[in-house]
Amino acid sequence: MKIKLNRQSDQTLIHQISNIMTEKIRSGFLQEGSQLPSIRSFSKENQVSPVTISKAYALLERNGYIQVVHGKGAFVRKNELGSIHVSQRNYNWQLAIPDYIQRSQSMLNKGTEYALKFSSATIHPGLLPSVYLTNEIVAILLADPQIVTRYGAVQGDEDVRKAIRDYVQKYGDIETTPQEIIVTNGVQQGIDVVARTFIGPGDIVITEAPTYTAAIDVFRNRGAHIIPIPVDAEGMQTTILATLCLSKQPKLIYTNPTFQNPTGTVLSETRRRELLDLAQQYGFLIVEDDSWNEIYFDDNPPPPTLKALDESGHVIYLKGFSKSLAPSCRIGAIISNGTVHQRLLSAKSFADSGNPLLTQKALIPFLRSERMHVHLEKLRIALEVRRDQTIAILNKYAPQGVTWMEPKGGLNIWVSLPSNGNTDELLFKAQQAHITFLPSSACYPGEPQYHHMRISYSYPEPHELEQGVMKLCQIMHTYLQENRNIDRTNH
Amino acid sequence: MKIKLNRQSDQTLIHQISNIMTEKIRSGFLQEGSQLPSIRSFSKENQVSPVTISKAYALLERNGYIQVVHGKGAFVRKNELGSIHVSQRNYNWQLAIPDYIQRSQSMLNKGTEYALKFSSATIHPGLLPSVYLTNEIVAILLADPQIVTRYGAVQGDEDVRKAIRDYVQKYGDIETTPQEIIVTNGVQQGIDVVARTFIGPGDIVITEAPTYTAAIDVFRNRGAHIIPIPVDAEGMQTTILATLCLSKQPKLIYTNPTFQNPTGTVLSETRRRELLDLAQQYGFLIVEDDSWNEIYFDDNPPPPTLKALDESGHVIYLKGFSKSLAPSCRIGAIISNGTVHQRLLSAKSFADSGNPLLTQKALIPFLRSERMHVHLEKLRIALEVRRDQTIAILNKYAPQGVTWMEPKGGLNIWVSLPSNGNTDELLFKAQQAHITFLPSSACYPGEPQYHHMRISYSYPEPHELEQGVMKLCQIMHTYLQENRNIDRTNH
């Protein structure tokens, strides 16, 4: 197995090998029970000393990913809670084919059904008016049966682009035209289309740290050099960015300014303006991923979007409708201007030649109907109740030293263990109790942090939420007790 | 404007510059009426002599793409038949941002409505039973309204994967399991997911020549070194491939063995087995793009798919359902085995986190219902009639020296002008008569050929088809007369 090591890195080869193999195991590329290469062959193929490989395997075993059976070799540890079943015939030759999939953290936890799923930042279907929406969609289909047999345009159906224009004006203060909108298969594809257009090997991409897991995957896959900027209570620390710009030349900044994923923080208006000034001064692009700015609590709408404040075409605005409105349509939009728009449209064209027409037409009732705006009010209240519930339980049951940030909107709460905690380990324990969450190790483009986790309160039912968070607090308690004397400062 | 030139290439810099600019113009990246960089600045930025730039501009002008206005500069020629409207404010700074979109031929002709569209290899909606299908889809939605508010799995909905398994068994003799199937947003996304997983800068990709335009775009965007293998009446010439393998190491072969796009040829069974033997011998992957193998004429089903003959996991089978069945669902599938499957699944995950559930559920009636199989019979006959009609007109009206291959299935016919013809030029003339087709220049990954064109007979209505092909024959006649003394051997 050939892996890519960076001999100029600050990280030791042992840690690099361990991290790469961890990602291969967590993504399911190396399946449960499958055998790792022998130390001798792995060492030879990657020109690393056998001692280094041996130490990396020992680290993987300590972290619970593999099991070393004396005289037989190293095997991926079995996780009793679920596995991906793929028939294995004589496909071993395939292992010799190198690939460009550096990581795929976004696959994490997706193969398995958990009773209490705090890992998924999606809204429970019960919170959406499915019968009403189904009837609206059915009416559209019956009125024009040819919808099911027609192709859509690459850029997206014009009616949907008009509805999107109206929606982002209402919820993002954005003045745009249908001509500047490209319909995408969710925000995820929006990020991908931007990356394939503008990012190549060695280009500098800035993200928040922590940031959206799957965005890291996409930019890494393009060979980007990703530089993380830490987030505080007011979002990305723009002063650090300003200093960085003095020595490095970022090509693109990926940001999630409103109810940031995963921390839930909001970039302040002052910092939004600073960020735009920096973009003008240094000529970089800003990718504003705005998946849920309409899900705000306490009747406090967030500051204007970066796109609304942008006057010179630096912002590529990505809006998702999957998270808050229409999961089954998986529709998102890219709003941008000038030649940037033209180039993104070309990339969308060869990514998939355009979204299906059916889901585009189906999105119209979600965006346009008066009842959906009323519904959005209710959704805000329902999610605010869930947030409060989560925080109340944490206040009551979370072990000493555990902290969190109170989100003013969105679907997630960011919880931190004291520094002796490791949420990868905690996740193993939680999964045994059929609970899952997103560990912070998945959210850092550089050296990961291991003592935070993202809990999404939007998916479980209220009673599940209460029981689940309570149970999780117990698990944390036991785990932290067991590890109270461990020093992780070098981890 | 910075462009990428290859100073080691056999192609002169003049031709390279002319080709790159042609692609930028045809893709709409450089819009009608917009000004090209001055010779001086272009020369300086790309370190090419002003004389070379000047000659490239002259070539572009001769080919009809630009207009040089003395004392003012060079401008993209206006095409009166349609244009892409994008508001242009002060976004000039954007031109300084380099991108990785080398070409996007797949955008060709998509901005405009033509009366006679022979350029689009899609089936006319009138040939599909839209009312019946709409009712089936409506029944599914009403039976389970939560479909519209649920996410699908990354790999695809299980019911759909089961239906796909049954369908490819029936129409491709493929024995597979739902676990080995990944649902994609059309075949286009399938190609893209494969490319992003396995192809990076300098990797050798083999395609047929000519081949599917958008596949070239995708592999080029990954930085592949694409080597074309010519096609004859029995498809890709495997003996040439075998010789090539002695000196080069291909990583992947992209092929369209059945009713090849654009030539309509079928790879013979002997060559299919040779291709599989080569894959085993040299350890490369075969990407089998099988968009319309069920659309065969004269009751002669094509030879078994490569996937059906594959015994060692070399074939990645891409099946599309957009072309022949359900355009509005835009669903395709990737069928592969072992770790190749696992890695493709990771790539799909970060391309878009999964297809929408709605279109997946909507595809089930297309794949499963008895009536659709009856319909497919009818569709074959309808398309066979259109093929015969097209050939009858060509026989009667095509100018001397024009030749074509008779396809045994699929949607396209490949027509060749005598060697003094250039179908890019012919397209300009045809568009003035509101007729469009796909010129061969878009179908070659290496040095293009200019005297063929693909006519798709599947989209226009029968009477439009007849009139359109007749009209096109007239245009060819006039064009060839006008150019009868031109020698294009160096073109």
Side-chain angles (χ1 to χ4, degrees):
Chain A
M1 189 182 292
K2 188 122 181 81
I3 59 173
K4 207 179 162 187
L5 298 168
N6 178 359
R7 281 155 215 271
Q8 268 74 55
S9 168
D10 297 340
Q11 218 181 13
T12 65
L13 286 176
I14 298 172
H15 274 89
Q16 285 186 51
I17 295 166
S18 162
N19 286 348
I20 290 169
M21 298 307 280
T22 299
E23 286 176 0
K24 284 188 189 292
I25 293 166
R26 288 172 57 163
S27 65
F29 167 60
L30 278 171
Q31 286 169 60
E32 293 173 11
S34 68
Q35 188 167 5
L36 270 65
S38 72
I39 289 175
R40 179 200 287 260
S41 74
F42 206 24
S43 142
K44 204 173 155 196
E45 207 168 348
N46 293 287
Q47 296 178 300
V48 175
S49 85
V51 177
T52 305
I53 304 285
S54 169
K55 283 188 178 164
Y57 279 14
L59 183 57
L60 282 163
E61 190 170 30
R62 213 154 60 238
N63 288 341
Y65 288 107
I66 67 168
Q67 196 170 5
V68 178
V69 182
H70 199 70
K72 287 196 166 173
F75 297 84
V76 178
R77 207 178 94 161
K78 284 220 168 84
N79 174 357
E80 285 72 27
L81 296 166
S83 64
I84 301 157
H85 303 282
V86 175
S87 79
Q88 288 286 8
R89 278 192 283 177
N90 289 320
Y91 303 139
N92 283 338
W93 71 273
Q94 293 182 338
L95 282 171
I97 298 193
D99 64 37
Y100 296 84
I101 304 294
Q102 292 95 331
R103 50 179 264 164
S104 59
Q105 296 280 10
S106 41
M107 288 292 292
L108 255 168
N109 296 326
K110 283 198 179 159
T112 318
E113 272 310 310
Y114 290 97
L116 289 159
K117 211 167 163 184
F118 298 133
S119 59
S120 164
T122 55
I123 288 171
H124 193 275
L127 287 173
L128 293 163
S130 47
V131 174
Y132 164 74
L133 287 165
T134 299
N135 289 334
E136 294 283 303
I137 293 166
V138 162
I140 289 178
L141 292 179
L142 292 176
D144 182 5
Q146 285 217 348
I147 286 173
V148 307
T149 52
R150 273 207 323 261
Y151 265 94
V154 173
Q155 190 174 355
D157 180 69
E158 204 180 344
D159 288 345
V160 175
R161 286 187 280 120
K162 283 181 183 161
I164 291 173
R165 175 199 55 198
D166 297 345
Y167 188 91
V168 298
Q169 191 180 43
K170 192 175 168 91
Y171 292 106
D173 272 327
I174 294 166
E175 296 296 332
T176 186
T177 64
Q179 287 75 35
E180 292 175 330
I181 297 174
I182 301 168
V183 175
T184 60
N185 199 16
V187 159
Q188 183 65 30
Q189 193 188 41
I191 300 171
D192 188 64
V193 163
V194 169
R196 75 166 63 214
T197 308
F198 292 112
I199 301 305
D203 285 337
I204 295 178
V205 170
I206 307 281
T207 70
E208 287 136 354
T211 185
Y212 174 44
T213 301
I216 305 172
D217 290 345
V218 169
F219 292 121
R220 279 232 186 128
N221 186 250
R222 295 290 305 174
H225 175 40
I226 308 178
I227 302 180
I229 303 281
V231 162
D232 66 15
E234 283 182 54
M236 183 189 274
Q237 297 185 46
T238 39
T239 48
I240 298 181
L241 177 62
T243 311
L244 186 95
C245 287
L246 297 175
S247 60
K248 304 268 182 184
Q249 196 163 7
K251 190 160 179 193
L252 180 152
I253 294 204
Y254 169 80
T255 175
N256 206 203
T258 307
F259 314 128
Q260 200 254 351
N261 188 359
T263 62
T265 52
V266 177
L267 190 68
S268 65
E269 188 165 341
T270 314
R271 287 194 184 171
R272 285 176 195 232
R273 293 188 188 277
E274 280 165 12
L275 185 54
L276 285 162
D277 285 350
L278 287 170
Q280 282 213 18
Q281 198 176 338
Y282 295 101
F284 58 75
L285 294 165
I286 299 174
V287 179
E288 179 178 24
D289 175 349
D290 204 15
S291 292
W292 40 51
N293 74 324
E294 61 276 65
I295 311 288
Y296 53 85
F297 305 148
D298 315 313
D299 295 324
N300 287 322
T305 57
L306 289 162
K307 187 75 200 161
L309 302 172
D310 175 33
E311 284 173 352
S312 47
H314 285 82
V315 177
I316 300 171
Y317 182 78
L318 306 181
K319 181 67 193 168
F321 304 103
S322 305
K323 296 286 184 190
S324 49
L325 287 177
S328 76
C329 294
R330 291 244 0 106
I331 287 187
I334 302 175
I335 304 177
S336 59
N337 318 95
T339 68
V340 163
H341 163 80
Q342 281 304 111
R343 290 184 268 181
L344 293 173
L345 184 55
S346 293
K348 166 68 181 174
S349 170
F350 58 77
D352 66 9
S353 320
N355 270 51
L357 189 59
L358 181 58
T359 40
Q360 295 186 65
K361 293 292 190 189
L363 186 69
I364 295 177
F366 286 89
L367 296 179
R368 277 221 189 278
S369 83
E370 208 35 61
R371 184 154 157 191
M372 277 311 286
H373 296 297
V374 177
H375 164 73
L376 213 46
E377 293 279 339
K378 285 191 201 156
L379 184 64
R380 274 185 213 121
I381 295 166
L383 289 171
E384 192 178 341
V385 167
R386 284 171 193 230
R387 176 203 62 178
D388 292 345
Q389 212 181 353
T390 311
I391 288 178
I393 306 274
L394 286 173
N395 269 322
K396 207 161 162 186
Y397 296 102
Q400 217 191 346
V402 173
T403 57
W404 53 89
M405 305 220 249
E406 184 174 318
K408 306 285 183 215
L411 317 180
N412 307 308
I413 184 163
W414 189 243
V415 176
S416 305
L417 303 189
S419 59
N420 66 325
N422 175 316
T423 49
D424 281 353
E425 287 177 9
L426 183 69
L427 183 60
F428 268 117
K429 309 269 179 189
Q431 285 177 340
Q432 282 159 21
H434 299 274
I435 294 175
T436 178
F437 56 78
L438 186 73
S440 57
S441 62
C443 305
Y444 289 84
E447 191 64 26
Q449 293 192 16
Y450 290 95
H451 65 288
H452 314 281
M453 59 185 166
R454 189 191 75 179
I455 293 180
S456 300
Y457 46 77
S458 51
Y459 194 81
E461 301 273 6
H463 68 277
E464 290 174 344
L465 185 68
E466 202 158 296
Q467 284 173 9
V469 180
M470 221 143 63
K471 182 82 195 154
L472 188 58
C473 286
Q474 279 168 18
I475 296 166
M476 277 195 263
H477 193 86
T478 312
Y479 167 75
L480 290 171
Q481 272 297 314
E482 284 167 10
N483 290 273
R484 65 184 175 279
N485 297 321
I486 292 181
D487 178 15
R488 291 183 192 276
T489 34
N490 287 325
H491 193 117
Chain B
M1 189 181 294
K2 187 121 183 81
I3 60 173
K4 206 178 161 186
L5 298 168
N6 178 1
R7 281 156 214 271
Q8 269 74 53
S9 168
D10 297 340
Q11 217 182 16
T12 65
L13 286 176
I14 297 170
H15 274 89
Q16 286 186 50
I17 295 166
S18 162
N19 286 348
I20 290 169
M21 299 306 280
T22 299
E23 287 176 358
K24 283 187 190 291
I25 293 166
R26 289 172 55 162
S27 66
F29 167 61
L30 278 170
Q31 285 168 60
E32 292 172 12
S34 69
Q35 189 167 4
L36 271 64
S38 72
I39 289 175
R40 178 199 288 260
S41 74
F42 206 25
S43 141
K44 205 173 155 194
E45 207 168 349
N46 294 286
Q47 296 178 299
V48 176
S49 85
V51 177
T52 304
I53 304 285
S54 168
K55 284 188 176 162
Y57 279 15
L59 184 57
L60 282 164
E61 190 172 29
R62 214 156 57 240
N63 288 341
Y65 289 106
I66 67 168
Q67 195 170 6
V68 179
V69 183
H70 199 70
K72 287 195 168 173
F75 298 84
V76 178
R77 206 179 95 160
K78 284 221 169 81
N79 174 356
E80 284 73 28
L81 296 166
S83 64
I84 301 158
H85 302 282
V86 175
S87 77
Q88 290 285 8
R89 276 192 284 178
N90 289 319
Y91 303 137
N92 284 339
W93 71 274
Q94 293 181 337
L95 281 172
I97 297 192
D99 64 39
Y100 295 85
I101 304 293
Q102 292 94 331
R103 49 179 263 161
S104 58
Q105 295 280 10
S106 40
M107 288 291 291
L108 255 168
N109 296 326
K110 285 200 178 158
T112 318
E113 274 310 309
Y114 289 96
L116 288 160
K117 212 168 164 183
F118 298 133
S119 60
S120 163
T122 55
I123 289 171
H124 193 275
L127 287 174
L128 293 163
S130 48
V131 174
Y132 165 74
L133 288 165
T134 299
N135 289 335
E136 293 283 303
I137 294 166
V138 162
I140 289 177
L141 293 180
L142 292 177
D144 182 6
Q146 284 215 349
I147 287 172
V148 307
T149 52
R150 274 207 321 262
Y151 264 94
V154 172
Q155 188 173 354
D157 180 69
E158 204 180 343
D159 289 345
V160 176
R161 285 186 281 121
K162 284 180 184 162
I164 290 173
R165 175 200 55 196
D166 297 345
Y167 188 91
V168 297
Q169 191 180 41
K170 192 175 170 89
Y171 292 107
D173 270 326
I174 294 167
E175 296 297 331
T176 186
T177 64
Q179 286 74 35
E180 293 176 329
I181 297 173
I182 301 168
V183 175
T184 60
N185 200 18
V187 160
Q188 185 64 31
Q189 193 190 40
I191 301 170
D192 187 64
V193 163
V194 170
R196 74 166 65 213
T197 306
F198 293 111
I199 301 307
D203 284 337
I204 294 178
V205 170
I206 307 281
T207 69
E208 286 135 356
T211 186
Y212 174 44
T213 301
I216 306 173
D217 290 345
V218 169
F219 292 120
R220 279 232 186 128
N221 184 251
R222 295 289 306 173
H225 174 40
I226 308 179
I227 302 180
I229 303 281
V231 162
D232 66 15
E234 284 181 53
M236 182 189 275
Q237 297 185 46
T238 39
T239 48
I240 299 181
L241 176 62
T243 311
L244 186 94
C245 286
L246 298 174
S247 61
K248 304 267 184 187
Q249 196 163 8
K251 190 159 179 194
L252 181 152
I253 293 204
Y254 169 81
T255 176
N256 205 201
T258 307
F259 314 129
Q260 201 253 351
N261 187 359
T263 62
T265 51
V266 177
L267 190 68
S268 66
E269 189 166 339
T270 314
R271 287 194 184 171
R272 285 177 196 233
R273 292 187 190 277
E274 280 165 12
L275 185 54
L276 285 162
D277 285 349
L278 288 170
Q280 282 212 18
Q281 197 177 338
Y282 296 101
F284 56 75
L285 294 166
I286 298 174
V287 179
E288 180 178 23
D289 175 349
D290 203 16
S291 291
W292 40 52
N293 74 324
E294 62 276 64
I295 310 289
Y296 53 85
F297 305 148
D298 315 313
D299 294 326
N300 286 322
T305 57
L306 290 163
K307 187 75 201 160
L309 302 171
D310 174 33
E311 286 174 353
S312 47
H314 285 82
V315 177
I316 299 171
Y317 181 78
L318 305 182
K319 180 68 193 170
F321 305 103
S322 304
K323 296 286 184 192
S324 49
L325 288 178
S328 74
C329 294
R330 292 248 354 109
I331 286 186
I334 303 175
I335 304 178
S336 60
N337 316 95
T339 67
V340 163
H341 163 79
Q342 282 302 110
R343 291 183 268 182
L344 293 173
L345 184 54
S346 292
K348 166 68 181 173
S349 170
F350 59 76
D352 66 8
S353 322
N355 269 51
L357 188 59
L358 181 58
T359 40
Q360 295 186 65
K361 294 290 191 190
L363 185 70
I364 294 176
F366 286 88
L367 296 180
R368 277 221 188 279
S369 83
E370 208 35 62
R371 184 154 159 192
M372 277 312 286
H373 296 299
V374 177
H375 164 74
L376 213 47
E377 293 279 340
K378 285 191 201 157
L379 184 63
R380 274 184 214 121
I381 295 166
L383 289 171
E384 192 178 342
V385 167
R386 284 173 194 228
R387 176 204 61 178
D388 292 345
Q389 211 181 355
T390 310
I391 288 178
I393 306 274
L394 286 173
N395 269 322
K396 205 162 167 187
Y397 297 102
Q400 215 190 348
V402 173
T403 58
W404 54 89
M405 304 218 250
E406 183 175 317
K408 306 286 182 214
L411 316 181
N412 307 308
I413 186 163
W414 188 242
V415 177
S416 305
L417 302 189
S419 60
N420 66 325
N422 175 316
T423 49
D424 280 353
E425 288 177 10
L426 183 68
L427 183 60
F428 269 118
K429 309 269 179 190
Q431 285 177 339
Q432 281 159 22
H434 299 274
I435 293 174
T436 177
F437 56 78
L438 186 73
S440 58
S441 63
C443 304
Y444 289 85
E447 191 63 26
Q449 293 192 16
Y450 290 95
H451 65 288
H452 314 281
M453 60 184 165
R454 189 191 74 180
I455 294 181
S456 301
Y457 44 78
S458 52
Y459 193 83
E461 302 273 6
H463 68 275
E464 290 175 344
L465 186 69
E466 202 158 295
Q467 285 173 8
V469 179
M470 221 142 66
K471 182 83 196 152
L472 188 58
C473 286
Q474 281 169 18
I475 296 166
M476 278 195 265
H477 194 86
T478 313
Y479 168 76
L480 290 171
Q481 273 297 313
E482 283 168 10
N483 290 273
R484 65 185 174 281
N485 296 321
I486 292 182
D487 178 16
R488 290 184 194 276
T489 33
N490 288 323
H491 193 118

